[in-house]
Amino acid sequence: MFTIAKTEATRGIWSSTRNMPDAPGRGMVTVDVIAAGICGTDYHIYNWDAWSSGRIKTPMVIGHEFVGIISAIGEDVTGYHVGERVSAECHIACGECHFCRTGNAHICENTSIIGVDRPGAFAEQVEIPASNLWKVPDAIPDTHAAVFDPVGNAMHMVSTAKVTAKHVLIVGGGPIGLFAAAIAKAHGARSVTVQEPNQARAAIAHSLDLDLVVNPLLPDSTSKILDLTDGHGPEVVLEVSGNGRALNEALAIAAPGATVALLGIPGGPVELDLGAKVVMKGISLLGVTGRRMYETWYQVEAFMLKNPDLIDKVITHVLPATEFERGFELMDEGACGKIVLDFQQIEHRLSA
Amino acid sequence: MFTIAKTEATRGIWSSTRNMPDAPGRGMVTVDVIAAGICGTDYHIYNWDAWSSGRIKTPMVIGHEFVGIISAIGEDVTGYHVGERVSAECHIACGECHFCRTGNAHICENTSIIGVDRPGAFAEQVEIPASNLWKVPDAIPDTHAAVFDPVGNAMHMVSTAKVTAKHVLIVGGGPIGLFAAAIAKAHGARSVTVQEPNQARAAIAHSLDLDLVVNPLLPDSTSKILDLTDGHGPEVVLEVSGNGRALNEALAIAAPGATVALLGIPGGPVELDLGAKVVMKGISLLGVTGRRMYETWYQVEAFMLKNPDLIDKVITHVLPATEFERGFELMDEGACGKIVLDFQQIEHRLSA
Amino acid sequence: MFTIAKTEATRGIWSSTRNMPDAPGRGMVTVDVIAAGICGTDYHIYNWDAWSSGRIKTPMVIGHEFVGIISAIGEDVTGYHVGERVSAECHIACGECHFCRTGNAHICENTSIIGVDRPGAFAEQVEIPASNLWKVPDAIPDTHAAVFDPVGNAMHMVSTAKVTAKHVLIVGGGPIGLFAAAIAKAHGARSVTVQEPNQARAAIAHSLDLDLVVNPLLPDSTSKILDLTDGHGPEVVLEVSGNGRALNEALAIAAPGATVALLGIPGGPVELDLGAKVVMKGISLLGVTGRRMYETWYQVEAFMLKNPDLIDKVITHVLPATEFERGFELMDEGACGKIVLDFQQIEHRLSA
Amino acid sequence: MFTIAKTEATRGIWSSTRNMPDAPGRGMVTVDVIAAGICGTDYHIYNWDAWSSGRIKTPMVIGHEFVGIISAIGEDVTGYHVGERVSAECHIACGECHFCRTGNAHICENTSIIGVDRPGAFAEQVEIPASNLWKVPDAIPDTHAAVFDPVGNAMHMVSTAKVTAKHVLIVGGGPIGLFAAAIAKAHGARSVTVQEPNQARAAIAHSLDLDLVVNPLLPDSTSKILDLTDGHGPEVVLEVSGNGRALNEALAIAAPGATVALLGIPGGPVELDLGAKVVMKGISLLGVTGRRMYETWYQVEAFMLKNPDLIDKVITHVLPATEFERGFELMDEGACGKIVLDFQQIEHRLSA
């Protein structure tokens, strides 16, 4: 079957063929992929950065955010049937470790991730445990259902930070930052500001009809945020840029008592003025990873059902899966929101 | 009256005289000081470090943790009478700013602190707003009542971090770390470990009958903590050392999902591996300052009533107030837990 | 000055005159009333029911939800000036009791309420402590500012129950239920249902563009709610009817683990099947009274700034204050949402 | 093998024989029972009350709180091996329903309970899913390990109610109430009071060295509780009696803002004064059922490791399993705390 894979240990990503998965094993299902989103993680793998080159074993079919139709069901799978449309959690948790057993499967110590540690969803078919599936209501279109996972990252962050009635600053206007902005708005934030230097992304933020979009490279960005927040600064900061300097600037203007959720991964250590900007201001820095299984999924479903217009604005491109290179080039240029690949038009689909 | 004051803008602290306070103003009371604790903040002022030399205007009577007897009451004070024994919150919050009005007076933007911004409690008498008082139950002895404030810092940290049934690591065995250890034990922590290189302080920690006391300078300290915590590491870290290296080491062994409360003030910026050790582990870093007004005081009172033996062990010295220099020397040597100064024996007490 | 008062200890409410308040006392301000809402409490007093006839001492100017302009300021008032537009918390808490000091002033044991225990806001002027004031942003119109208090009741209930991403059932479509529906929608509820037998009120609920409005007198109301909630029932119930039978029916269909906020005051004891419907379902019943001082006010302000259209729909009548009888008649008929009285047109305004 | 079973649909309980379980099925294990506690639920079944006669299908081996040694392991079981000592959660949740998938397996809509819906643990052997097991640390003795389940009920209740630094009233001094008292003490409650009319149980409460034990049948019980709580009443009430009158009395004296956890199952509907005693006091009533899977188990383990002396005092009888009738008679008399049956001495043990 057609796949998009890391076949060589160097920068790039390539189309490749792989045999269709065998009949699914016990507790597993096979899903025919309809559509899949390109994640920042896929882009890291494409760039073959330190993290990905240290973890990925080539060849590896990538991709982990997707929607599809169940085409085969393994032994002992209950509650699902062939023909159902599903998305899926890409983190396959062990279910047995201390963290899984105490409601924290998102930090399972034995996690395996599809598209990273095992064959992913940029393929005509993907095999996944039934316990990772999420049934998609009919009212949610395929392109939205394909991005349950990144909307879930944003939702986990927003839910953790508790934005309702608060001034919210989102540092970084990539897809997750934009989804977070949309969710914060839908959850009743007092104001939502996106800080993003890339003007293509800032334009998407503008289209969400937020309270403020600022360019951190311009001198007035801080004063604009302070004006909007009655001089106190944001009460919630959602850090998705991974940029240490931006984090420090955000801490400097954050209101005393603010909650700062951290989702972006800095490239290296970050120097922080913990004394003056965290301890004495009573600020909380909350590391956020993955999605709560599966409470976050339920929350995302609720959001998607109510706010399709906002999601449409963040998904800027739907490309045929075969044009995946164009997708990665758009990410190189930063000229996009979320990109979704359409796997339905693959020639010879469902034939190995 | 006798006071202990910063009379010169250089290292040191001196006895000094000051007129008795006038009759207390509206809403204010005068308190005859019985006993007062020496705080790390007092020691910073003694050392005339960057923070204190930038903030304190000499001459300034220092001291802010104390117990005493109300000797005079200003106009419009209700609910208190002369002769009552009280301790008091040293942060005088404005009551009118956004933070005060939404339950966060501990991060009031107009706070004034006795012993820092206005005359303090290392004196025969101190004047303070009635709204800052806390009546002390008879069952709590003077030496304990004198340290409501630092036990309150520790309580605020422990309550914020939620230690019950959790493995708790306390980084730094000074008085606040030791009080925190005692509170964590009393609140049902699964295990309590104190990490402290100073052997005098480690000995006090040992006397609290904790699960583990480790010396971070010895090579086996990490393995001992991991052994105690079934290999997962502590689920709660209480950082009171202000030592960046210790914080990084604690983050490295903290369990995924751990809560790390930060109360120690580092001397400068701290470099943190936020990506691997905070974001991807789903760890929360919670800056803690001051005390919740006045929920924390109520919690401290409950703790003190039940655990006098633990507090006794952390208070290692009760010195006559006139021997305050000996107190600061003990802190220089690190050869002490909490030091309390006794103001009851001052000659000519209550005469200007 | 013109007032609306309970002058006789019998059913009814009457216009009356009262001298203008004297110059405000220390810490007090005088507010020239612009507009004031008629509360369910005012209607209880009008009806002279068991509660009101047991508590009110006639003659008493009623009314407690209002907006006005500060016209005089007492000694020691800081942070306010003549000419500012303000609303105010009607519960005057003591500030000194255990509850006030631990962040729970809304359950102060010494509360005095304007319009109940002391002269109210259905008057040309009202005197109130400065610490109870809330400055109103220019963007909020007078009619909205007049109802900060009941929107605050609804906000306290919704915030306590945590509605985001949840199926929410509101039992009772009076003004507070309708405000709660609007807030639940604005806070990202998964679905919002209002249950209300009165068709005039149901029509207002319909105008809020909710997910469902049901008539509990019709046989299909339960099945409609179950259909909307995937058969699980509502995850949050907001009970504002005070109707015991409705509460029992709501408990019967509430999802296991549901949160049921109780704000409505039943006329007498209510029989509940606690075993099967509360304990074994793991349901929480949360009594909600008043407003968090002043966190709720901040939340209401945020909501009002973002959702003026929803508030407009719930305020169905703005009447000249002199036509107050018409307001109470409308409440008799149940043919209204929130009614606001306009005090700006009073003849001889500001003259005694 | 020897079992204790409900063999006839009438009051009583009988010894019975049953074939040893077959080799355990996929995901299942067989456990050789060491010891098992008699639960209030077992006593309900013994009495053949309305609930049990409506649910139990005879013959049924009862018993669901136990410790034992794994003697056989089914296919696909990982992480466990023959010879390990384990206790187990008796609620077998489906793992697939909405509640299981969002962290609320304790209110799973498809729960099956051992000893109620399928063969129980009052037997030489019991079969149970591996995912329900809990490994018991060596330091916990068999008799304690046998009661993980009821201590877990108590722990779930205490954890939900949040007792630290609060005045706690426990209504009902049966085994769960007594365990709750012990846990509240270990978690740093400000005071712990047990209210229990049965003098044998009150004596056990006394042995736990609590702050107060009161007899609700005596006229001074309320005043004693108010005296202990500075006149405010308890801030936390843990209701384990299922007695409606006792609940009403507790609500009458509970402090405003109190949390009231409900675990006892009343025999029928309970009349509550919701208006004055719940809504206007801002009180929360929290239904508590089962145990959080498996966070509660982790918490119980922590408690058991630290407080063996308290558990010893609540377990008043350890009887040979063959003397089970004596156990039920003791419960008839109310002359006991928790009773544990010892299954190690069964003749012909491990032979069918």
Side-chain angles (χ1 to χ4, degrees):
Chain A
M1 63 178 177
F2 169 83
T3 72
I4 302 167
K6 193 78 187 182
T7 51
E8 296 175 43
T10 182
R11 187 172 194 276
I13 201 79
W14 300 272
S15 70
S16 176
T17 57
R18 183 175 170 253
N19 288 339
M20 288 293 188
D22 295 333
R26 178 173 303 139
M28 304 291 288
V29 301
T30 301
V31 177
D32 291 359
V33 177
I34 296 172
I38 304 181
C39 178
T41 298
D42 299 314
Y43 184 66
H44 282 294
I45 299 171
Y46 166 80
N47 278 323
W48 207 231
D49 66 3
W51 169 79
S52 56
S53 60
R55 177 149 176 183
I56 306 273
K57 290 185 178 56
T58 58
M60 179 62 71
V61 176
I62 69 166
H64 56 269
E65 44 188 67
F66 71 98
V67 65
I69 302 286
I70 297 176
S71 58
I73 281 185
E75 228 181 313
D76 286 347
V77 169
T78 57
Y80 294 96
H81 59 77
V82 169
E84 278 187 309
R85 192 170 61 132
V86 292
S87 184
E89 168 61 48
C90 66
H91 286 209
I92 301 176
C94 74
E96 296 177 4
C97 73
H98 171 67
F99 304 100
C100 282
R101 292 199 84 188
T102 52
N104 292 296
H106 64 295
I107 46 173
C108 166
E109 58 192 14
N110 307 307
T111 304
S112 166
I113 306 179
I114 66 164
V116 172
D117 304 310
R118 47 201 287 170
F122 284 180
E124 290 176 64
Q125 292 189 327
V126 62
E127 196 186 34
I128 194 149
S131 56
N132 276 51
L133 298 179
W134 191 262
K135 295 183 188 187
V136 179
D138 292 346
I140 296 177
D142 286 338
T143 47
H144 297 191
V147 295
F148 252 94
D149 171 305
V151 177
N153 283 122
M155 179 62 77
H156 186 188
M157 176 171 55
V158 174
S159 298
T160 300
K162 296 186 176 55
V163 299
T164 303
K166 299 285 180 64
H167 288 295
V168 179
L169 169 64
I170 295 161
V171 179
I176 289 181
L178 293 166
F179 284 134
I183 295 167
K185 183 180 174 179
H187 287 191
R190 185 182 184 94
S191 74
V192 179
T193 298
V194 166
Q195 175 178 309
E196 171 59 50
N198 175 312
Q199 288 314 295
R201 290 179 162 170
I204 306 171
H206 272 293
S207 77
L208 296 174
D209 195 19
L210 307 175
D211 297 274
L212 184 63
V213 180
V214 295
N215 182 343
L217 304 180
L218 298 184
D220 64 350
S221 65
T222 296
S223 63
K224 280 181 174 172
I225 295 170
L226 290 174
D227 283 352
L228 179 69
T229 58
D230 302 315
H232 294 310
E235 299 158 311
V236 172
V237 175
L238 307 176
E239 208 306 299
V240 279
S241 74
N243 181 317
R245 181 159 159 260
L247 173 57
N248 272 291
E249 289 171 357
L251 287 173
I253 61 167
T259 297
V260 179
L262 304 174
L263 190 144
I265 307 281
V270 173
E271 207 173 65
L272 292 179
D273 182 3
L274 286 182
K277 290 188 189 154
V278 176
V279 178
M280 293 175 72
K281 287 175 76 170
I283 280 182
S284 300
L285 298 171
L286 310 179
V288 174
T289 187
R291 292 148 296 279
R292 287 260 163 207
M293 301 177 200
Y294 284 86
E295 188 185 356
T296 302
W297 288 76
Y298 188 65
Q299 295 167 332
V300 170
E301 186 178 295
F303 168 71
M304 286 190 170
L305 288 167
K306 289 287 187 195
N307 301 279
D309 53 322
L310 296 177
I311 300 169
D312 274 338
K313 284 172 179 158
V314 180
I315 299 174
T316 52
H317 298 78
V318 181
L319 304 174
T322 48
E323 295 180 24
F324 64 90
E325 287 171 318
R326 170 88 188 107
F328 284 90
E329 287 162 11
L330 283 163
M331 292 180 82
D332 272 338
E333 299 161 19
C336 56
K338 171 59 71 175
I339 299 170
V340 172
L341 300 176
D342 179 352
F343 281 78
Q344 290 188 297
Q345 308 307 323
I346 306 298
E347 209 176 343
H348 302 307
R349 181 173 172 79
L350 300 190
S351 61
Chain B
M1 63 180 178
F2 169 84
T3 71
I4 303 167
K6 192 78 187 183
T7 51
E8 296 176 43
T10 181
R11 188 170 194 274
I13 201 80
W14 301 273
S15 69
S16 176
T17 58
R18 183 175 171 253
N19 289 338
M20 287 293 188
D22 295 332
R26 179 174 302 139
M28 304 291 287
V29 301
T30 301
V31 178
D32 290 0
V33 177
I34 296 172
I38 305 181
C39 177
T41 298
D42 299 314
Y43 185 65
H44 283 294
I45 298 172
Y46 166 80
N47 278 323
W48 206 234
D49 65 4
W51 169 80
S52 56
S53 59
R55 177 149 175 183
I56 307 274
K57 290 183 178 58
T58 56
M60 179 63 70
V61 176
I62 67 165
H64 56 269
E65 45 188 67
F66 71 99
V67 65
I69 303 285
I70 298 176
S71 58
I73 282 187
E75 227 182 314
D76 286 347
V77 169
T78 57
Y80 293 96
H81 59 77
V82 169
E84 278 186 308
R85 193 169 61 132
V86 293
S87 184
E89 168 62 46
C90 65
H91 286 209
I92 300 176
C94 74
E96 296 177 4
C97 74
H98 171 67
F99 304 101
C100 282
R101 292 199 84 189
T102 52
N104 292 296
H106 64 295
I107 46 173
C108 166
E109 57 192 12
N110 308 306
T111 304
S112 165
I113 306 179
I114 65 164
V116 172
D117 304 312
R118 48 201 286 171
F122 284 0
E124 290 176 63
Q125 293 189 327
V126 62
E127 197 187 32
I128 194 151
S131 56
N132 276 52
L133 298 178
W134 191 261
K135 294 183 188 186
V136 179
D138 291 346
I140 297 177
D142 287 337
T143 47
H144 296 193
V147 295
F148 253 92
D149 171 304
V151 177
N153 282 123
M155 179 63 76
H156 186 187
M157 176 171 57
V158 174
S159 298
T160 300
K162 296 185 175 58
V163 300
T164 304
K166 300 286 179 65
H167 288 295
V168 178
L169 169 64
I170 295 160
V171 179
I176 290 182
L178 293 166
F179 284 134
I183 297 168
K185 183 180 175 180
H187 286 192
R190 186 183 184 95
S191 73
V192 179
T193 298
V194 166
Q195 175 178 310
E196 171 58 53
N198 175 313
Q199 288 314 294
R201 291 179 162 170
I204 306 171
H206 272 293
S207 77
L208 296 174
D209 196 19
L210 308 175
D211 297 273
L212 184 63
V213 180
V214 294
N215 182 343
L217 304 180
L218 298 184
D220 64 349
S221 66
T222 296
S223 63
K224 280 181 174 173
I225 296 170
L226 290 174
D227 284 353
L228 178 70
T229 57
D230 303 316
H232 294 311
E235 299 157 312
V236 172
V237 175
L238 306 177
E239 208 306 299
V240 279
S241 74
N243 181 315
R245 181 159 159 259
L247 173 57
N248 271 292
E249 288 171 358
L251 286 174
I253 61 166
T259 297
V260 179
L262 305 175
L263 189 144
I265 307 282
V270 173
E271 206 173 65
L272 293 178
D273 182 4
L274 286 181
K277 290 187 189 155
V278 176
V279 179
M280 292 174 74
K281 286 175 79 169
I283 280 181
S284 299
L285 297 171
L286 310 180
V288 175
T289 187
R291 293 148 296 280
R292 287 258 162 207
M293 300 176 200
Y294 283 87
E295 188 185 358
T296 302
W297 288 76
Y298 188 65
Q299 295 167 332
V300 170
E301 185 178 297
F303 168 71
M304 285 190 170
L305 288 167
K306 289 288 187 194
N307 300 279
D309 52 322
L310 296 177
I311 300 170
D312 274 338
K313 284 171 178 159
V314 181
I315 299 175
T316 53
H317 298 76
V318 180
L319 303 174
T322 47
E323 296 179 23
F324 63 91
E325 286 171 319
R326 170 87 188 106
F328 284 90
E329 286 162 13
L330 283 163
M331 292 180 82
D332 271 339
E333 298 161 19
C336 56
K338 171 58 71 177
I339 299 169
V340 172
L341 300 177
D342 180 351
F343 280 78
Q344 291 186 295
Q345 308 308 321
I346 305 297
E347 209 175 341
H348 303 306
R349 181 176 173 78
L350 298 190
S351 60
Chain C
M1 64 179 177
F2 169 84
T3 72
I4 303 167
K6 193 78 188 182
T7 52
E8 296 176 42
T10 182
R11 188 172 194 275
I13 201 80
W14 301 273
S15 69
S16 177
T17 58
R18 183 175 172 255
N19 288 338
M20 288 293 186
D22 295 332
R26 179 173 302 139
M28 304 291 288
V29 301
T30 301
V31 177
D32 290 0
V33 177
I34 296 173
I38 305 181
C39 177
T41 298
D42 299 313
Y43 185 66
H44 282 295
I45 298 171
Y46 166 80
N47 279 323
W48 207 233
D49 65 3
W51 169 80
S52 56
S53 59
R55 177 150 175 182
I56 306 274
K57 291 184 178 54
T58 57
M60 180 62 71
V61 177
I62 67 165
H64 55 270
E65 45 188 67
F66 71 99
V67 65
I69 302 286
I70 297 176
S71 57
I73 282 186
E75 227 182 314
D76 285 348
V77 169
T78 56
Y80 293 96
H81 58 77
V82 168
E84 278 187 308
R85 193 170 59 132
V86 294
S87 184
E89 168 61 47
C90 65
H91 286 209
I92 301 176
C94 74
E96 296 176 6
C97 74
H98 171 68
F99 304 99
C100 282
R101 291 198 85 189
T102 53
N104 293 296
H106 64 295
I107 46 174
C108 167
E109 57 192 13
N110 307 307
T111 304
S112 165
I113 307 179
I114 66 164
V116 172
D117 304 311
R118 48 201 287 171
F122 285 180
E124 291 177 62
Q125 292 190 327
V126 62
E127 197 187 33
I128 194 150
S131 56
N132 277 51
L133 298 178
W134 190 262
K135 295 184 188 184
V136 179
D138 291 346
I140 297 177
D142 286 338
T143 46
H144 297 192
V147 295
F148 252 93
D149 171 305
V151 177
N153 282 122
M155 179 62 76
H156 187 188
M157 175 171 56
V158 174
S159 297
T160 300
K162 295 186 176 57
V163 300
T164 303
K166 300 286 180 63
H167 288 295
V168 178
L169 169 64
I170 295 160
V171 179
I176 290 181
L178 293 166
F179 284 134
I183 296 167
K185 183 179 174 180
H187 286 191
R190 186 182 184 95
S191 73
V192 179
T193 298
V194 166
Q195 175 178 309
E196 171 58 52
N198 175 312
Q199 288 313 295
R201 290 178 162 171
I204 306 171
H206 272 293
S207 77
L208 296 174
D209 195 19
L210 307 176
D211 297 274
L212 185 63
V213 180
V214 294
N215 182 343
L217 305 180
L218 298 184
D220 64 350
S221 66
T222 296
S223 63
K224 280 182 173 171
I225 296 170
L226 290 174
D227 283 353
L228 179 70
T229 57
D230 303 317
H232 295 310
E235 298 157 311
V236 172
V237 175
L238 307 177
E239 208 306 298
V240 279
S241 74
N243 182 315
R245 182 160 159 260
L247 172 58
N248 272 291
E249 289 171 357
L251 286 174
I253 60 167
T259 297
V260 179
L262 304 175
L263 189 143
I265 307 281
V270 173
E271 206 174 65
L272 293 179
D273 182 3
L274 285 181
K277 290 188 189 154
V278 176
V279 179
M280 292 174 73
K281 286 176 78 169
I283 280 182
S284 300
L285 297 171
L286 310 180
V288 175
T289 188
R291 292 148 296 279
R292 287 258 163 207
M293 300 176 201
Y294 284 85
E295 189 185 356
T296 302
W297 288 76
Y298 188 65
Q299 295 168 332
V300 170
E301 184 178 297
F303 168 71
M304 285 191 171
L305 288 168
K306 290 286 187 195
N307 301 280
D309 52 322
L310 296 176
I311 300 169
D312 274 337
K313 284 171 179 159
V314 180
I315 299 174
T316 53
H317 298 78
V318 180
L319 303 174
T322 48
E323 295 179 25
F324 64 90
E325 286 171 319
R326 170 87 188 108
F328 284 90
E329 286 163 12
L330 284 163
M331 292 180 82
D332 272 338
E333 298 161 19
C336 55
K338 171 58 72 176
I339 299 170
V340 172
L341 299 177
D342 180 352
F343 281 77
Q344 290 188 295
Q345 308 307 323
I346 306 297
E347 208 175 343
H348 304 306
R349 181 175 173 77
L350 301 190
S351 61
Chain D
M1 62 178 178
F2 169 83
T3 72
I4 302 167
K6 193 78 188 182
T7 51
E8 296 176 43
T10 182
R11 187 171 194 276
I13 201 78
W14 302 271
S15 71
S16 176
T17 58
R18 183 174 170 255
N19 288 338
M20 287 294 188
D22 294 332
R26 178 173 304 139
M28 304 291 287
V29 301
T30 301
V31 177
D32 291 1
V33 177
I34 296 172
I38 304 182
C39 177
T41 299
D42 299 315
Y43 185 65
H44 282 294
I45 298 171
Y46 166 79
N47 278 324
W48 206 232
D49 65 4
W51 169 79
S52 57
S53 60
R55 177 150 176 183
I56 306 274
K57 291 184 177 56
T58 58
M60 178 63 71
V61 177
I62 68 165
H64 56 269
E65 45 188 66
F66 71 98
V67 64
I69 302 285
I70 297 175
S71 58
I73 280 185
E75 226 181 314
D76 286 347
V77 170
T78 58
Y80 293 96
H81 59 77
V82 169
E84 278 186 309
R85 192 170 62 132
V86 292
S87 184
E89 167 62 48
C90 66
H91 285 210
I92 301 176
C94 74
E96 296 177 5
C97 75
H98 172 67
F99 304 100
C100 283
R101 291 199 85 188
T102 52
N104 292 296
H106 63 295
I107 45 172
C108 166
E109 58 192 13
N110 307 307
T111 304
S112 166
I113 306 179
I114 66 165
V116 172
D117 304 310
R118 47 201 286 171
F122 284 179
E124 291 176 62
Q125 292 190 327
V126 61
E127 195 186 34
I128 194 150
S131 56
N132 277 50
L133 298 178
W134 190 263
K135 295 182 189 188
V136 179
D138 291 347
I140 297 177
D142 286 338
T143 47
H144 297 192
V147 295
F148 252 93
D149 171 304
V151 177
N153 283 122
M155 179 62 76
H156 187 189
M157 176 171 54
V158 174
S159 297
T160 300
K162 297 187 176 53
V163 300
T164 303
K166 300 285 180 65
H167 287 295
V168 179
L169 169 63
I170 295 160
V171 179
I176 290 182
L178 293 166
F179 284 134
I183 296 168
K185 183 180 175 180
H187 286 191
R190 185 181 184 96
S191 73
V192 179
T193 298
V194 166
Q195 175 178 308
E196 170 60 50
N198 175 311
Q199 288 313 295
R201 290 179 163 171
I204 306 171
H206 272 293
S207 78
L208 296 174
D209 195 20
L210 307 176
D211 297 273
L212 185 62
V213 180
V214 294
N215 182 343
L217 304 180
L218 298 184
D220 64 349
S221 65
T222 296
S223 63
K224 281 182 173 172
I225 296 170
L226 289 174
D227 283 353
L228 179 69
T229 58
D230 303 315
H232 295 310
E235 299 157 310
V236 172
V237 175
L238 307 176
E239 209 306 299
V240 280
S241 74
N243 182 316
R245 183 160 156 260
L247 173 58
N248 272 291
E249 289 171 357
L251 286 174
I253 60 166
T259 297
V260 179
L262 305 174
L263 190 144
I265 307 281
V270 173
E271 206 172 66
L272 293 178
D273 182 2
L274 286 182
K277 290 189 188 153
V278 177
V279 179
M280 292 174 73
K281 286 175 78 169
I283 280 182
S284 300
L285 298 170
L286 310 180
V288 174
T289 187
R291 292 148 297 278
R292 287 258 163 207
M293 300 177 200
Y294 285 85
E295 188 185 356
T296 302
W297 289 75
Y298 188 65
Q299 295 167 332
V300 170
E301 185 178 296
F303 168 72
M304 286 190 169
L305 289 167
K306 290 286 187 195
N307 301 280
D309 52 321
L310 296 177
I311 299 169
D312 274 338
K313 285 171 179 159
V314 181
I315 299 174
T316 52
H317 298 77
V318 180
L319 304 173
T322 48
E323 294 179 24
F324 64 90
E325 287 171 319
R326 171 88 187 106
F328 284 90
E329 286 161 12
L330 283 163
M331 292 179 82
D332 272 338
E333 299 161 19
C336 55
K338 171 60 70 175
I339 299 169
V340 172
L341 300 177
D342 179 352
F343 281 78
Q344 290 187 296
Q345 309 306 324
I346 306 298
E347 208 176 344
H348 303 307
R349 181 174 172 77
L350 300 190
S351 62

